[in-house]
């Protein structure tokens, strides 16, 4: 067996690293693909089930909400249970949830299926990343960065295109039906190709922390998600945000004062890790939130079909996928901090023109600008994550991975909800004074794109704070 393709598990037994990687990557691809698979399907589902845009948004926001709630617990699970069987358990949940979505005949049934998917997705996000980082030394983690970059960049980006094609040619149920064979393949291969590679550090589960985390993140995300339906001044929104914030603070305080925390906040003692998580959150909003708003603009302002709006994103997906191996190589050999700064500047340049789009903006311009943003994102997301993880000792990798995913998914859910609600609020206000519905909608999109631009400026400022030589985890 080729030594470069061989690694050893926790018992010192050799295994095929290539097969191991393929299985993990399939699982993570399905999970990330699933995040944006309904982006262009929103108008179709709104019409099918007779729900508003804010209600339909729960199919995406609810997914991220569950992932955000569960992610803190994944670090404890990784410390206390077999990484191989955690992966299989997560794929099982994902399979059940996807099958439920495929068979759903009502909005509530579809939403329940999505939430079951999210349980598997939360576990996959934490344990999958931890398993990949555990089989590579710090100096080779640019390879992991490249592999995950392909998944994190390509899968969410081609999701809208794929679902658009399905909607134009088949029934929406087939969006989920097409995923079932791929999930089943990873589930079956996992029995034979996976090994335990994450070091266990058994501890007692602190249930008060779990309750605080669940209620805190759940209330916080619920409050933000309801803004689109109820408005910023509604008591349910304000109560959810305030109560959630208080409980999250109590959760953090408890983790700092108990001996067996669910999430070890020592990870934030690393300067690079703290900064990297902040940049990751910002870039996730700027990419995932933007990716949710752009198809709506294309469909409501330009009058494109679901497939046409999805096709506008495919070049960006291909650029992201093509750049990921290059980014991974560059991270192993060059200055990661500089790569991140350049990537953020490129995202800024690709975002600025969207603030001024019109109903007559050429389609080719939109496609190229989105590709430019994707190019910049590929130079930011995985390098900044790798720099953060490399600032941790090996025993904190699972907690660092969970913390990163918790912030990433929480930011995605809150950011998308805010962008959609702001767009709707601005459009509704403009409709009171303007005769043209298109003009009012366009004003809302302009403001949403401007918010993304401002966030990227903040991310660029934070990028200056990274320390290139803080690599503690050898």
């Amino acid at each position: 067996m080729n030594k470069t393709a061989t690694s050893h598990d926790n018992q010192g037994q050799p295994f095929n690293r290539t097969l191991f990687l393929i299985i993990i990557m399939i699982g993570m691809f399905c999970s990330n693909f699933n995040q944006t698979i309904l982006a262009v399907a929103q108008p179709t589902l709104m019409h099918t089930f007779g729900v508003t845009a804010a209600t339909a948004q729960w199919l995406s926001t609810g997914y991220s909400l569950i992932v955000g709630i569960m992610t803190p617990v994944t670090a404890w699970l990784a410390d206390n249970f077999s990484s191989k069987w955690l992966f299989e358990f997560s794929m099982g949940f994902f399979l059940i949830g996807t099958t439920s979505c495929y068979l759903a005949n009502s909005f509530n049934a579809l939403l329940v299926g999505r939430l079951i998917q999210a349980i598997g997705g939360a576990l996959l996000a934490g344990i999958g990343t931890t398993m990949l980082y555990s089989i590579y030394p710090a100096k080779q983690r640019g390879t992991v960065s490249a592999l995950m970059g392909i998944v994190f960049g390509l899968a969410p980006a081609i999701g809208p295109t794929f679902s658009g094609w399905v909607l134009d040619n088949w029934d929406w149920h087939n969006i989920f039906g097409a995923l079932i064979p791929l999930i089943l393949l990873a589930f079956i291969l996992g029995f034979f190709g996976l090994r335990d590679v994450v070091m266990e550090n058994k501890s007692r589960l602190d249930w008060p922390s779990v309750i605080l985390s669940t209620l805190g993140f759940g209330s916080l995300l619920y409050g933000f998600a309801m803004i689109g339906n109820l408005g910023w001044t509604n008591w349910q929104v304000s109560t959810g945000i305030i109560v959630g914030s208080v409980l999250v603070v109590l959760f953090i305080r408890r983790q700092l004062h108990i001996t067996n925390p669910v999430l070890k906040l020592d990870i934030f003692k690393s300067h690079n890790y703290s900064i990297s998580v902040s940049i990751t959150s910002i870039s996730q909003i700027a990419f995932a939130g933007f990716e949710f708003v752009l198809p709506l603009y294309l469909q409501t302002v330009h009058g494109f079909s679901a497939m046409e709006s999805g096709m506008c994103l495919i070049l960006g997906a291909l650029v992201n996928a093509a750049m990921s191996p290059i980014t991974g190589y560059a991270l192993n050999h060059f200055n990661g901090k500089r790569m991140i700064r350049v990537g953020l500047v490129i995202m800024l340049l690709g975002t600025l023109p969207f603030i001024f789009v019109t109903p007559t903006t050429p389609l080719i311009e939109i496609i190229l600008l989105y590709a430019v943003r994707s190019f910049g994102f590929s130079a930011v997301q995985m390098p900044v994550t790798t720099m953060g993880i490399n600032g941790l000792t090996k025993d904190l990798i699972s907690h660092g991975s969970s913390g990163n995913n918790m912030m990433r998914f929480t930011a995605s859910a809150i950011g998308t909800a805010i962008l959609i609600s702001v767009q709707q609020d601005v459009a509704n206000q403009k409709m009171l004074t303007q005769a043209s519905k298109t003009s009012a909608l366009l004003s809302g999109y302009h403001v949403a794109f401007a918010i993304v631009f401002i966030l990227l400026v903040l991310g660029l400022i934070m990028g200056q704070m990274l320390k290139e030589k803080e690599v503690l985890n050898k």
Side-chain angles (χ1 to χ4, degrees):
M1 186 180 293
N2 187 346
K3 290 184 178 180
T4 61
T6 305
S7 292
H8 293 80
D9 61 20
N10 290 348
Q11 285 71 46
Q13 298 298 314
F15 64 90
N16 189 306
R17 189 166 68 182
T18 300
L19 178 59
F20 186 99
L21 287 171
I22 290 173
I23 297 168
I24 300 295
M25 297 299 287
I26 291 175
M28 295 181 73
F29 178 88
C30 291
S31 177
N32 283 271
F33 184 75
N34 192 65
Q35 290 178 44
T36 59
I37 202 171
L38 295 182
V40 299
Q42 182 170 312
T44 299
L45 296 173
M46 288 165 58
H47 175 75
T48 300
F49 298 119
V51 297
T52 65
T55 299
Q57 171 196 299
W58 269 98
L59 295 171
S60 296
T61 303
Y63 184 93
S64 295
L65 187 153
I66 294 297
V67 172
I69 289 173
M70 287 198 60
T71 299
V73 184
T74 61
W76 181 86
L77 292 172
D79 282 348
N80 288 270
F81 295 97
S82 159
S83 54
K84 170 182 176 176
W85 295 112
L86 276 178
F87 181 89
E88 290 294 277
F89 184 76
S90 65
M91 291 305 296
F93 257 99
F94 206 72
L95 181 60
I96 293 171
T98 303
T99 304
S100 298
C101 290
Y102 175 65
L103 298 174
N105 286 313
S106 68
F107 180 81
N108 288 338
L110 179 59
L111 179 59
V112 169
R114 288 285 286 174
L115 298 183
I116 295 174
Q117 278 186 318
I119 296 174
L123 293 172
L124 277 171
I127 195 61
T129 304
T130 303
M131 290 172 80
L132 287 181
Y133 277 122
S134 295
I135 61 175
Y136 283 92
K139 291 183 179 180
Q140 295 180 21
R141 289 196 182 129
T143 303
V144 180
S145 173
L147 293 170
M148 291 196 299
I150 294 174
V151 169
F152 291 166
L154 181 62
I158 66 175
T161 303
F162 171 78
S163 59
W165 177 79
V166 170
L167 290 171
D168 282 359
N169 294 278
W170 307 94
D171 182 79
W172 66 264
H173 293 85
N174 291 295
I175 294 175
F176 298 99
L179 270 177
I180 294 175
L182 197 57
I183 298 170
L184 190 60
L185 175 64
F187 182 73
I188 294 172
L189 288 178
F191 283 100
F192 307 100
L194 294 183
R195 297 290 187 274
D196 291 328
V197 294
V198 179
M199 298 302 297
E200 293 184 19
N201 182 22
K202 293 187 180 297
S203 62
R204 182 179 177 183
L205 180 61
D206 183 61
W207 283 105
S209 294
V210 175
I211 294 172
L212 287 172
S213 172
T214 301
L215 296 180
F217 285 103
S219 298
L220 185 65
L221 294 175
Y222 173 81
F224 277 104
M226 293 305 293
I227 291 174
N229 270 337
L230 304 176
W232 288 86
T233 58
N234 182 270
W235 70 270
Q236 293 184 51
V237 171
S238 57
T239 300
I241 293 175
I242 293 172
V243 171
S245 298
V246 171
L247 292 177
V248 168
V249 170
L250 292 175
F251 167 75
I252 293 172
R253 183 176 180 182
R254 184 170 181 83
Q255 303 317 291
L256 294 171
H257 291 88
I258 60 177
T259 57
N260 58 325
V262 169
L263 182 65
K264 295 180 180 178
L265 298 184
D266 289 349
I267 53 180
F268 291 101
K269 291 181 180 179
S270 164
H271 173 85
N272 266 10
Y273 181 82
S274 298
I275 298 298
S276 75
V277 166
S278 300
I279 297 175
T280 295
S281 300
I282 289 172
S283 62
Q284 186 68 22
I285 296 173
F287 190 74
F290 188 95
E291 198 170 58
F292 195 92
V293 174
L294 182 58
L296 290 177
Y297 157 74
L298 292 171
Q299 292 178 54
T300 59
V301 175
H302 283 265
F304 290 169
S305 69
M307 182 177 178
E308 288 170 338
S309 61
M311 286 298 293
C312 292
L313 310 182
I314 195 65
L315 179 61
L318 295 175
V319 167
N320 206 330
M323 280 301 299
S324 292
I326 299 173
T327 301
Y329 175 85
L331 185 59
N332 280 340
H333 295 84
F334 301 106
N335 188 298
K337 178 179 178 180
R338 187 173 302 159
M339 289 174 59
I340 294 165
R341 291 203 305 262
V342 171
L344 287 167
V345 169
I346 293 173
M347 289 188 74
L348 277 166
L349 295 175
T351 301
L352 181 61
F354 280 100
I355 302 175
F356 308 100
V357 290
T358 70
T360 58
T361 299
L363 178 60
I364 186 63
E365 181 179 332
I366 294 172
I367 293 173
L368 291 176
L369 286 172
Y370 182 78
V372 168
R373 297 183 81 259
S374 297
F375 180 89
F377 183 75
S378 68
V380 175
Q381 191 71 348
M382 287 302 101
V384 78
T385 299
T386 302
M387 286 189 69
I389 292 294
N390 282 350
L392 303 175
T393 53
K394 193 169 184 178
D395 62 304
L396 290 176
I397 288 180
S398 62
H399 290 264
S401 175
S402 293
N404 182 277
N405 287 317
M406 176 184 70
M407 295 298 294
R408 184 163 60 89
F409 280 104
T410 301
S412 178
I414 292 177
T416 299
I418 290 177
L419 290 178
I420 293 295
S421 67
V422 168
Q423 187 276 325
Q424 289 182 340
D425 287 345
V426 172
N428 289 336
Q429 290 297 320
K430 290 293 183 180
M431 284 181 190
L432 298 177
T433 59
Q434 298 181 11
S436 171
K437 180 180 179 181
T438 298
S439 178
L441 288 171
L442 197 57
S443 296
Y445 292 124
H446 286 164
V447 174
F449 293 142
I451 292 173
V452 171
F453 182 84
I454 293 170
L455 285 173
L456 287 170
V457 172
L458 180 60
L460 185 59
I461 295 172
M462 291 183 173
Q464 305 296 322
M465 303 177 187
L466 287 168
K467 297 178 181 178
E468 180 63 32
K469 295 186 178 180
E470 189 194 42
V471 182
L472 307 178
N473 181 34
K474 304 300 182 182

